Amino acid sequence: MALFLGSRTSGWMDNAVFYDTVGKFGTNEFYGLNNVGQFGRSHKILSDKRFKEADVHHILWKALEDLPQREEDDWLVELIQEDLFGVILSTSIDNFVENACLRGGMKEGRDFDVLNLLRSSNQKLDLRKRKRLTIVKAFGDLESRCYAAAGKELDVAARPMVRAFLSSLLAQEMLMIGYDPVWDRAIEQAFPIRGEAVYYVNEQEPVEDIPLYNILLQRCSKYCVAETNSYKDFLKVLRRSFSQPLPLRMPTPPASSEIAVQEQERKTVFISYCHEDDHFLKELLPHLNVYQKQGLIDVWSDKKIDVGAKWREKIEEALEAASVAILLISKYFLASKFINEVELPRLLEAAKKRGLEIIPIVLSPCVFGDSPLHHFQTINSPDHPVSKSRGANREMIWVNVAKSVKKASQRGAGTSCRNRDWIVS
């Protein structure tokens, strides 16, 4: 598993000296904000053009000068020495974790490596040959003066090799602690929509207007969110769990009847579409039927509703049971009142709370890019909808849909994507 340490794990978070210094350049409102609010506002203040690069460096440096060693960093080293993490990706530019490793008896070059992405050559951006822990400094480090921070943010898109390297790391199964949507937003340029599960630990849930929100929806993410879930608080709990015989204590197994219900829910694939696009649905279903016959999935569309049945209740039951949703998107889909007011809100909420995976396919030319779904990665490019494809190329789109559904259902088999169910005690 990879560990992501966001800027809220840095020495500037909850730092009175830092807040007092920066707050003098802000408004009186600054001092009425909570810890998270002051941290985010500090970035905005330091990004002001009145601050030169040397000024920002001096403020950051002085705020850490007399900061004592932090016990939470020592707790992290204990977990590192249990081989819990193979790589640590940090957006913090301080060196607290590295110093804690040294205090814990580890030696750089023997027990761990530090990789500053802003200084390393492209040839070094490969972890496959590394046999020890690597601490990857995504935004550089303060001590070397080679870093990106407020007023000098990293443009990941301008560094294709760095972006590709970060994307490969961020696609792994990952424990994500202390992400800050302001200080860490540059990393979102490299965050892949497809990848393994993300365990998101923070004082706040990600806000809906940032790309990370939709990425987490599609990554079978689990949330451990509370005002008390700071880096220190969570590390304390996680460390305590290692005093038990098993490193991570999983929830008490449910009764066999509950397992049967969960298994059935895991396999349900809900198809959301408009009747005007019925012919596209007929093309897709044979590809899904292969996996349905194997018992991997249970495909549901409104065609399963019997004549005379209460159709809305049946749809709501299927929405509740679904673990994967296929969206057949067209101008009719985007204009549908029922889809926009009933189906989509339920699906998006399920994606957020219990890890339902959403798989969109663009059927025909439409304004998908201006729709609320534009953050989602589609199977095919919106510029090349299904209707423009013929023969084998068209069939391959449906094949890719079916394979994506299979992978999504298999991920569901290994984990229960319930909101906040990955919590050590």
Side-chain angles (χ1 to χ4, degrees), residues 162-175:
V162 169
R163 182 175 185 174
F165 176 74
L166 286 173
S167 294
S168 68
L169 289 184
L170 293 167
Q172 298 181 32
E173 182 183 26
M174 182 169 53
L175 174 60

Side-chain angles (χ1 to χ4, degrees), residues 99-366:
N99 289 341
C101 287
L102 297 174
R103 289 198 303 273
M106 300 175 68
K107 289 187 177 181
E108 185 174 353
R110 183 193 70 184
D111 303 308
F112 72 96
D113 293 318
V114 179
L115 183 60
N116 183 337
L117 292 189
L118 302 191
R119 300 183 68 183
S120 301
S121 63
N122 293 337
Q123 290 75 19
K124 293 182 179 180
L125 299 183
D126 187 353
L127 299 183
R128 289 173 296 181
K129 297 180 180 180
R130 296 177 185 265
K131 303 299 183 182
R132 48 185 174 262
L133 170 75
T134 301
I135 301 173
V136 179
K137 308 288 286 188
F139 295 165
D141 67 85
L142 186 72
E143 188 170 350
S144 69
R145 298 187 74 102
C146 185
Y147 63 89
K152 191 182 68 171
E153 293 188 42
L154 175 65
D155 185 0
V156 176
R159 296 170 178 255
M161 292 296 293
V162 169
R163 182 175 185 174
F165 176 74
L166 286 173
S167 294
S168 68
L169 289 184
L170 293 167
Q172 298 181 32
E173 182 183 26
M174 182 169 53
L175 174 60
M176 191 173 190
I177 305 177
Y179 176 86
D180 187 88
V182 179
W183 288 83
D184 297 332
R185 62 186 169 191
I187 204 77
E188 293 186 5
Q189 301 173 47
F191 220 114
I193 291 178
R194 303 295 183 192
E196 300 300 318
V198 178
Y199 306 98
Y200 185 85
V201 180
N202 214 311
E203 293 95 337
Q204 300 172 325
E205 293 189 20
V207 293
E208 297 186 15
D209 61 351
I210 63 172
L212 182 66
Y213 174 82
N214 289 299
I215 292 169
L216 293 177
L217 286 183
Q218 298 191 62
R219 289 278 296 269
C220 197
S221 302
K222 302 178 184 180
Y223 298 83
C224 184
V225 178
E227 290 184 4
T228 56
N229 270 342
S230 67
Y231 170 56
K232 181 176 183 177
D233 294 329
F234 185 79
L235 260 294
K236 185 176 184 179
V237 174
L238 188 58
R239 171 179 174 263
R240 189 173 69 234
S241 73
F242 272 75
S243 64
Q244 306 300 322
L246 292 177
L248 287 177
R249 297 194 305 256
M250 303 307 293
T252 303
S256 58
S257 60
E258 294 176 344
I259 294 175
V261 172
Q262 291 176 1
E263 188 68 11
Q264 178 63 30
E265 290 179 352
R266 179 187 68 79
K267 293 182 178 179
T268 301
V269 178
F270 183 92
I271 302 179
S272 179
Y273 77 108
C274 270
H275 288 170
E276 289 85 351
D277 298 315
D278 185 74
H279 56 293
F280 289 108
L281 177 63
K282 291 178 180 178
E283 293 180 29
L284 169 62
L285 288 177
H287 295 278
L288 297 175
N289 285 343
V290 174
Y291 299 127
Q292 180 159 278
K293 289 179 180 178
Q294 295 175 5
L296 296 176
I297 59 175
D298 178 20
V299 180
W300 195 97
S301 71
D302 62 4
K303 293 187 178 298
K304 282 196 170 186
I305 302 176
D306 296 327
V307 175
K310 295 180 178 179
W311 62 271
R312 180 154 183 160
E313 289 184 7
K314 294 296 183 182
I315 290 177
E316 290 181 349
E317 289 174 3
L319 286 168
E320 183 64 28
S323 62
V324 181
I326 298 174
L327 309 184
L328 301 183
I329 299 172
S330 68
K331 62 182 180 182
Y332 304 111
F333 180 97
L334 296 177
S336 169
K337 182 177 180 180
F338 184 80
I339 288 176
N340 282 280
E341 293 183 0
V342 178
E343 292 185 3
L344 276 183
R346 293 283 298 275
L347 292 172
L348 293 175
E349 183 69 12
K352 176 180 178 181
K353 287 192 172 181
R354 57 182 176 85
L356 174 140
E357 294 204 33
I358 294 177
I359 301 176
I361 305 96
V362 179
L363 302 178
S364 54
C366 59

Side-chain angles (χ1 to χ4, degrees), residues 14-146:
D14 200 17
N15 184 318
V17 174
F18 180 57
Y19 293 161
D20 287 344
T21 303
V22 176
K24 295 175 183 177
F25 300 96
T27 64
N28 291 334
E29 179 191 3
F30 180 88
Y31 296 101
L33 299 173
N34 61 16
N35 181 32
V36 171
Q38 288 185 331
F39 187 61
R41 187 65 60 84
S42 296
H43 184 283
K44 182 178 181 180
I45 294 172
L46 292 178
S47 298
D48 192 287
K49 293 181 179 180
R50 59 184 157 169
F51 288 100
K52 297 180 180 179
E53 185 177 321
D55 298 329
V56 175
H57 180 82
H58 178 75
I59 291 173
L60 294 174
W61 185 270
K62 293 295 290 185
L64 299 184
E65 194 171 43
D66 297 321
L67 202 66
Q69 298 174 2
R70 304 186 305 179
E71 56 185 347
E72 55 264 40
D73 298 317
D74 295 324
W75 297 339
L76 176 60
V77 172
E78 292 180 21
L79 299 175
I80 289 172
Q81 292 173 334
E82 293 285 346
D83 294 325
L84 183 59
F85 308 111
V87 59
I88 297 175
L89 175 59
S90 175
T91 58
S92 171
I93 60 173
D94 64 33
N95 57 4
F96 284 6
V97 173
E98 299 93 296
N99 289 341
C101 287
L102 297 174
R103 289 198 303 273
M106 300 175 68
K107 289 187 177 181
E108 185 174 353
R110 183 193 70 184
D111 303 308
F112 72 96
D113 293 318
V114 179
L115 183 60
N116 183 337
L117 292 189
L118 302 191
R119 300 183 68 183
S120 301
S121 63
N122 293 337
Q123 290 75 19
K124 293 182 179 180
L125 299 183
D126 187 353
L127 299 183
R128 289 173 296 181
K129 297 180 180 180
R130 296 177 185 265
K131 303 299 183 182
R132 48 185 174 262
L133 170 75
T134 301
I135 301 173
V136 179
K137 308 288 286 188
F139 295 165
D141 67 85
L142 186 72
E143 188 170 350
S144 69
R145 298 187 74 102
C146 185

